[in-house]
């Protein structure tokens, strides 16, 4: 009976503890209303068009242009950037190679874990699809490392080899960013004091200066704001380990203490 009570208590505690972890593992970005999605792209880092995760941004441009977008990514997220370029229906003189690059808030180019970051479209191809899945965003990193950190990320889409005859032909680009929540598996013991967002140092200053002096170059934030990695499901599993250790100790004591009476009664007692 005592063993049954111990097992029942264990299952109840595990159910309560695992529930937050399951909720935390849900996708970090839900699809947003595309009616408000941007329909243009910037031409440099400073003029990059802001997009939210889950939005499908579009832009009409000319072959040879550099197209820039920016999006926020927080600690524990693994962003995947996808781009589709619709090429002109008119005949082209040669094949074209398109490339998708992603930079962090310090404008460091981030490597892709997987995905077709560069692709060549045949001379008669109608579209070309590109993708880049970044490494998991970390809450903190060594100064010498090139790890992705919380903050603003930049997308750059362009053609890397182009004949003169095809320069300036109209193209249409579609870009979308989605993230997978990795959780405690990527948690680290540390966090940035501020996310890598251009202009955030100016906006954090409490002064009587004009609004122009406190302008923010990037205004979008992840859903729920910046967490900087202070919470992850690693805390939940640590608590579960502690609970299991305590229950194991209690169960062992119950099984080994016996009935409380000596197994043999001495003669004459």
């Amino acid at each position: 009976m005592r063993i049954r009570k111990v097992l029942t208590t264990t299952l109840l505690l595990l159910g309560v503890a695992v529930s937050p972890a399951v909720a935390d593992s849900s996708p970090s970005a839900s699809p947003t209303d595309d009616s408000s999605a941007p329909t243009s792209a910037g031409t440099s880092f400073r003029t990059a068009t802001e997009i939210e995760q889950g939005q499908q941004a579009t832009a009409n441009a000319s072959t040879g242009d550099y197209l820039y977008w920016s999006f926020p990514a927080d600690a524990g997220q693994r962003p995947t950037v996808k781009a589709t370029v619709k090429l002109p229906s008119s005949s082209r003189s040669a094949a074209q190679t398109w490339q998708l690059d992603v930079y962090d808030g310090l404008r460091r180019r981030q490597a892709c874990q997987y995905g077709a970051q560069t692709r060549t479209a045949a001379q008669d191809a109608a579209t070309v699809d590109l993708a880049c899945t970044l490494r998991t965003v970390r809450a903190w990193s060594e100064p010498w490392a090139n790890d992705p950190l919380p903050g603003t990320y930049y997308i750059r889409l362009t053609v890397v080899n182009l004949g003169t005859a095809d320069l300036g032909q109209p193209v249409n680009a579609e870009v979308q960013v989605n993230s997978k929540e990795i959780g405690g598996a990527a948690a680290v013991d540390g966090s940035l004091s501020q996310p890598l967002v251009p202009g955030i140092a100016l906006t954090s200053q409490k002064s009587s200066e004009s609004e122009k002096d406190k302008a923010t170059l990037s205004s979008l934030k992840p859903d729920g704001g910046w967490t900087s990695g202070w919470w992850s499901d690693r805390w939940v599993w640590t608590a579960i380990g502690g609970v299991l250790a305590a229950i194991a100790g209690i169960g062992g004591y119950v099984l080994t203490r016996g009935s409380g009476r000596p197994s043999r009664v001495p003669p004459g007692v």
Side-chain angles (χ1 to χ4, degrees):
M1 181 63 69
R2 291 174 178 173
I3 297 177
R4 184 180 300 175
K5 289 182 178 179
V6 171
L7 292 176
T8 302
T9 304
T10 302
L11 292 176
L12 289 174
L13 289 174
L14 285 176
V16 173
V18 171
S19 297
V22 174
D24 188 60
S25 62
S26 59
S28 60
S30 57
T32 56
D33 184 9
D34 285 341
S35 62
S36 61
T39 57
S40 62
T43 57
S44 67
F45 286 103
R46 292 185 61 86
T47 61
T49 298
E50 294 182 340
I51 61 174
E52 296 180 359
Q53 292 194 28
Q55 280 186 327
Q56 185 178 55
T58 59
N60 293 319
S62 299
T63 309
D65 290 344
Y66 284 84
L67 306 179
Y68 287 83
W69 295 267
S70 66
F71 66 93
D74 205 1
Q77 294 183 343
R78 181 181 293 168
T80 296
V81 182
K82 295 183 178 180
T84 298
V85 182
K86 298 180 180 179
L87 302 172
S89 56
S90 58
S91 59
R92 298 184 296 275
S93 62
Q96 297 180 2
T97 301
W98 287 79
Q99 183 167 307
L100 177 69
D101 295 308
V102 183
Y103 299 82
D104 65 7
L106 297 178
R107 300 186 185 180
R108 303 176 302 181
R109 184 176 179 272
Q110 292 295 316
C112 301
Q113 274 194 318
Y114 50 85
Q117 185 180 6
T118 302
R119 270 189 171 175
T120 300
Q123 185 175 352
D124 58 348
T127 61
V128 57
D129 296 321
L130 306 167
C132 175
T133 298
L134 300 176
R135 295 169 295 166
T136 303
V137 178
R138 296 165 56 89
W140 178 83
S141 178
E142 295 288 349
W144 47 262
N146 195 35
D147 296 320
L149 296 170
T152 300
Y153 282 75
Y154 297 95
I155 304 169
R156 185 178 73 181
L157 178 64
T158 189
V159 61
V160 293
N161 70 331
L162 184 67
T164 305
D166 297 328
L167 187 65
Q169 290 187 349
V171 294
N172 178 268
E174 297 177 356
V175 172
Q176 187 169 2
V177 182
N178 291 291
S179 288
K180 180 180 179 181
E181 194 71 35
I182 303 303
V188 294
D189 296 327
S191 62
L192 297 180
S193 59
Q194 295 287 352
L196 300 178
V197 177
I200 194 170
L202 295 177
T203 58
S204 62
Q205 293 177 354
K206 295 182 179 180
S207 63
S208 59
E209 298 176 359
S210 64
E211 291 297 327
K212 181 179 179 181
D213 294 332
K214 296 185 291 181
T216 304
L217 300 181
S218 183
S219 59
L220 293 182
K221 298 180 180 180
D223 294 339
W226 298 103
T227 62
S228 296
W230 73 272
W231 165 259
S232 73
D233 56 8
R234 186 173 65 170
W235 292 90
V236 176
W237 295 112
T238 301
I240 292 175
V243 171
L244 290 177
I247 292 175
I250 296 173
Y253 173 75
V254 170
L255 292 174
T256 58
R257 73 170 185 169
S259 61
R261 297 178 59 187
S263 59
R264 297 180 61 184
V265 179
V269 177

